[in-house]
């Protein structure tokens, strides 16, 4: 009896060791970028990629005009990781650093075709002229192309963007009817443009702050709410629903909930249409996610961070409304809390005063000025101050982000590993308020985000992940 027990115990131990070994092997294979259980496949980027943009304002026109200027050899794609970035592969001594475009199969700029929706009737040339971001001489060289991109009628609700109103708006019996009209637009663009793949990129105004309700919890509840024209369904959600129903990935450049909802995650996974968001990380928050990790790395304390902006474009005007600003404020405020982890470092970050303000100041147009006053403290609690004055150009910083998101989201949809997972957290690098799996806190540190992005590319291509351990150089 005792021998039987012993041998059963031994057998159990062997089985456990085998399981542990198997898990270890899998982890090792994963760390090397290989997953023996399924080979990762990426379909080639064949044919045209159609880019559909709700909101043809400053960011959208600066992006589209920029792509055309670059295609014509008039300018360079500065700020774009897909166009100018490289990925180091293997050891530091290997000398292998291909360009991103040589490493993963991305659509080329020549493959891109565009359409958009807006509440104003201006074509892309007129809208870009109105936005006043790019030099008129450059826009004039691109006029025939830009004038050909005309806005489709928008799905709009003045209650969600109180500062603007326009004539180019769809009418419908219900919100479901409006969603059907958007789906018809998408099918029409797919057919007339000859695009083999599509991506939707929200560049519309920031909508009023709302929180998710029961209507957003499942596809079934959302569709019922669409039929009932539920007030809690914002226009951006109707675009998102229409896109995902058509199997089209959706990236959200504004802080609205839009795709950050259980219903959209469900649809995204079901239809293999990746989603990501929210809110492009451009000026002040870009700086915040560079500086805050530095303070934390050196264990310098923080007592206050006061951020203020003056901004004179239409985005600034929309954000002058407190309910739209509240959406933006939520998106901007989360950053410090997540990077500094006050619960882990109460002496350093347990009592931070963090304030963010945006002031509409028309004379500056798109050329925002962002000031930061940062009160930090060091050894024995001695206080110090840092002042940042960033005279930036909002849409110039946003346009390369739009380009990279369009190309990477399309890559995700062609990739066996990524297309069915829903949220593309590896694209957090581009967002102020990155979407994550439910219950997971977002990673805000810009350099961790970059490492995550590049390691994802390495993983997809079966290359070893880079951990920066580096002990092998000292063997
Ligand atoms: N520029 C940046 O650096 C930056 C950074 C982060 C986020 N964003 C966000 O990106 C978005 C675009 O910024 P922008 O500077 O281009 O603003 P913008 O005001 O120039 O353009 C937004 C456009 O969206 C249109 N619009 C509003 N609701 C719409 C709807 N339901 N359907 C179709 N069109 C609609 C407006 O008419 C306008 O033309 C904003 O939400 C902004 O907060 C911009």
């Amino acid at each position: 009896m005792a021998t039987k027990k012993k041998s059963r115990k031994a057998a159990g131990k062997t089985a456990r060791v085998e399981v542990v070994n198997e898990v270890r092997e899998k982890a090792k294979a994963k760390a090397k970028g290989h997953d023996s259980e399924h080979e990762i496949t990426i379909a080639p980027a064949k044919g045209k990629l159609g880019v559909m943009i709700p909101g043809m304002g400053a960011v959208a026109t600066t992006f589209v005009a920029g792509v055309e200027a670059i295609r014509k050899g008039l300018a360079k794609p500065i700020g774009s990781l897909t166009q100018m970035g490289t990925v180091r592969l293997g050891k530091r001594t290997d000398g292998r650093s291909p360009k991103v475009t040589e490493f993963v199969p991305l659509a080329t700029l020549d493959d891109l075709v565009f359409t958009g929706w807006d509440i104003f009737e201006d074509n892309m040339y007129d809208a870009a002229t109105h936005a006043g971001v790019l030099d008129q001489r450059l826009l004039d060289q691109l006029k025939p192309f830009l004038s050909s991109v005309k806005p489709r009628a928008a799905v709009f609700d003045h209650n969600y963007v109180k500062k603007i109103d326009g004539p180019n708006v769809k009418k419908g019996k219900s919100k479901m009817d409006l969603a059907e009209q958007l789906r018809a637009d998408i099918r029409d663009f797919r057919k007339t443009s000859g695009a083999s793949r599509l991506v939707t990129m929200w560049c519309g105004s920031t909508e009023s702050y709302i929180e998710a309700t029961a209507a957003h919890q499942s596809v079934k509840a959302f569709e019922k709410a669409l039929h009932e024209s539920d007030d809690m369904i914002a226009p951006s959600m109707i675009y998102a629903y229409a896109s995902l129903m058509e199997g089209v990935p959706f990236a959200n450049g504004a802080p609205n909930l839009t795709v950050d909802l259980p219903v959209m995650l469900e649809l995204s996974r079901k239809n293999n249409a990746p989603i990501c968001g929210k809110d492009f990380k451009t000026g002040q928050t870009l700086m915040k996610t560079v500086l805050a990790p530095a303070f934390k790395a050196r264990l310098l304390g923080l007592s206050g961070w006061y951020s203020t902006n003056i901004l004179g474009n239409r985005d600034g005007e929309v954000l002058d409304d407190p309910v739209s600003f509240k959406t933006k404020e939520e998106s901007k405020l989360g950053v410090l809390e997540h990077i500094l982890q006050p619960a882990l470092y109460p002496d350093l970050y347990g009592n931070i005063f963090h304030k963010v303000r945006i002031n509409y100041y028309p004379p500056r147009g798109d050329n925002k000025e962002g000031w930061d006053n940062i009160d930090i403290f060091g050894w024995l609690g001695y206080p110090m101050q840092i002042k940042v004055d960033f005279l930036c150009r909002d849409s110039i910083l946003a346009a390369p982000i739009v380009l990279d998101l369009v190309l990477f989201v399309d890559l995700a949809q062609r990739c066996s590993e990524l297309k069915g997972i829903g949220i593309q957290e590896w694209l957090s690098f581009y967002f102020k308020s990155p979407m994550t799996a439910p219950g997971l806190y977002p990673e805000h540190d810009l350099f961790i985000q970059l490492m995550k992005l590049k390691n994802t590319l390495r993983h997809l291509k079966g290359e070893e992940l880079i951990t920066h351990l580096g002990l092998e150089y000292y063997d």
Side-chain angles (χ1 to χ4, degrees):
M1 186 72 173
T3 346
K4 248 191 185 172
K5 241 190 192 168
K6 241 190 202 167
S7 65
R8 231 185 280 143
K9 226 174 155 186
K13 200 171 166 196
T14 319
R16 261 200 312 278
V17 169
E18 273 167 13
V19 170
V20 169
N21 283 344
E22 196 186 319
V23 170
R24 267 202 204 123
E25 283 311 309
K26 271 194 192 157
K28 260 198 227 156
K30 258 214 146 97
K32 281 189 179 163
H34 297 291
D35 195 337
S36 54
E37 269 179 14
H38 64 221
E39 272 304 309
I40 298 172
T41 55
I42 308 177
K46 258 206 261 150
K48 289 186 204 161
L49 173 61
V51 185
M52 305 190 294
I53 315 178
M56 288 174 32
V59 171
T61 54
T62 306
F63 157 61
V64 175
V67 167
E68 181 64 0
I70 295 158
R71 293 200 282 220
K72 283 182 165 295
L74 300 171
K76 294 241 181 301
I78 315 282
S80 160
L81 179 71
T82 57
Q83 305 305 300
M84 302 196 106
T86 60
V87 188
R88 187 193 114 196
L89 303 176
K91 292 196 179 11
R92 259 184 279 166
T93 43
D94 288 354
R96 292 167 67 212
S97 288
K99 286 185 144 189
V100 172
T101 44
E102 292 160 358
F103 184 49
V104 284
L106 296 177
T108 68
L109 297 197
D110 287 331
D111 296 334
L112 301 184
V113 286
F114 305 95
T115 191
W117 293 267
D118 206 288
I119 64 170
F120 298 109
E121 283 159 341
D122 294 348
N123 63 46
M124 280 253 170
Y125 173 79
D126 294 330
T129 301
H130 178 268
V133 177
L134 298 176
D135 193 289
Q136 200 59 42
R137 279 167 305 179
L138 177 66
L139 292 180
D140 287 341
Q141 291 181 72
L142 312 171
K143 187 169 180 180
F145 169 75
L146 290 176
S147 311
S148 73
V149 187
K150 300 187 174 79
R152 293 164 192 270
V155 169
F156 185 68
D157 180 348
H158 184 63
N159 290 321
Y160 275 94
V161 189
K162 295 216 169 63
K163 289 277 174 174
I164 56 170
D165 224 339
N168 194 30
V169 174
K170 290 189 196 310
K171 289 191 178 48
K173 290 194 292 291
S174 66
K175 290 190 175 177
M176 183 55 103
D177 182 13
L178 295 172
E180 291 299 341
Q181 293 181 42
L182 286 177
R183 291 184 65 179
D185 284 351
I186 295 172
R187 289 196 287 264
D188 172 71
F189 179 58
R190 197 192 286 278
K191 206 162 133 201
T192 53
S193 67
S196 60
R197 301 162 335 269
L198 301 176
V199 167
T200 307
M201 178 76 242
W202 176 267
C203 291
S205 308
T206 299
E207 296 172 331
S208 301
Y209 180 78
I210 54 167
E211 283 172 12
T213 65
H216 305 114
Q217 301 308 314
S218 68
V219 176
K220 204 168 156 219
F222 190 79
E223 288 180 341
K224 183 169 174 280
L226 276 175
H227 281 294
E228 290 167 358
S229 296
D230 188 324
D231 285 347
M232 295 307 278
I233 296 185
S236 65
M237 296 175 194
I238 305 178
Y239 287 93
Y241 171 81
S243 298
L244 298 177
M245 287 297 284
E246 291 296 317
V248 177
F250 192 104
N252 180 17
N256 330 312
L257 287 179
T258 314
V259 278
D260 199 1
L261 296 167
V263 44
M264 302 302 171
L265 181 55
E266 188 185 329
L267 266 184
S268 161
R269 295 177 77 125
K270 189 168 142 225
N271 295 347
N272 288 329
I275 49 174
C276 60
K278 331 185 272 270
D279 208 4
F280 303 126
K281 175 148 90 176
T282 48
Q284 198 163 50
T285 310
L286 173 70
M287 290 298 141
K288 220 168 245 181
T289 60
V290 169
L291 289 174
F295 304 151
K296 186 169 151 204
R298 287 299 168 99
L299 298 165
L300 293 168
L302 180 73
S303 51
W305 198 315
Y306 185 87
S307 302
T308 188
N309 297 274
I310 52 173
L311 175 63
N313 60 15
R314 195 181 278 152
D315 187 31
E317 189 182 355
V318 167
L319 294 172
D320 210 31
D321 173 48
V323 212
S324 283
F325 176 67
K326 168 92 173 126
T327 313
K328 193 61 128 184
E329 191 184 26
E330 286 289 314
S331 158
K332 282 179 164 250
L333 282 179
V335 168
L336 287 187
E337 170 97 9
H338 284 115
I339 293 178
L340 299 175
Q341 297 176 297
L344 289 181
Y345 303 94
D347 290 338
L348 300 175
Y349 310 119
N351 189 20
I352 302 170
F353 187 91
H354 186 197
K355 189 88 198 158
V356 178
R357 302 204 65 84
I358 297 179
N359 301 292
Y360 179 49
Y361 180 64
R364 282 294 173 87
D366 199 66
N367 296 348
K368 179 156 87 181
E369 183 160 6
W371 289 275
D372 287 278
N373 170 73
I374 313 160
D375 284 291
I376 62 171
F377 53 91
W379 186 240
L380 314 179
Y382 279 72
M384 296 171 261
Q385 285 187 9
I386 297 172
K387 314 274 180 191
V388 179
D389 183 2
F390 190 7
L391 289 108
C392 65
R393 291 171 187 264
D394 240 13
S395 303
I396 293 294
L397 291 167
I401 295 184
V402 177
L403 174 60
D404 286 357
L405 284 171
V406 162
L407 299 185
F408 278 145
V409 165
D410 169 54
L411 171 74
Q413 197 178 35
R414 285 182 284 110
C415 176
S416 59
E417 174 98 339
L418 300 178
K419 66 180 179 191
I421 63 169
I423 300 163
Q424 306 294 310
E425 198 199 316
W426 62 287
L427 297 174
S428 298
F429 178 65
Y430 296 107
F431 295 112
K432 272 201 217 25
S433 181
M435 282 169 59
T436 57
L440 198 62
Y441 71 80
E443 205 53 84
H444 280 286
D445 177 327
L446 187 79
F447 301 104
I448 294 180
Q449 292 173 332
L450 180 61
M451 201 174 346
K452 186 192 276 290
L453 190 159
K454 290 193 175 180
N455 267 341
T456 303
L457 298 182
R458 293 181 187 108
H459 170 70
L460 298 182
K461 294 289 290 178
E463 288 283 342
E464 218 165 306
L465 305 189
I466 291 189
T467 62
H468 298 286
L469 179 64
L471 283 177
E472 67 274 24
Y473 302 112
Y474 299 89
D475 276 350

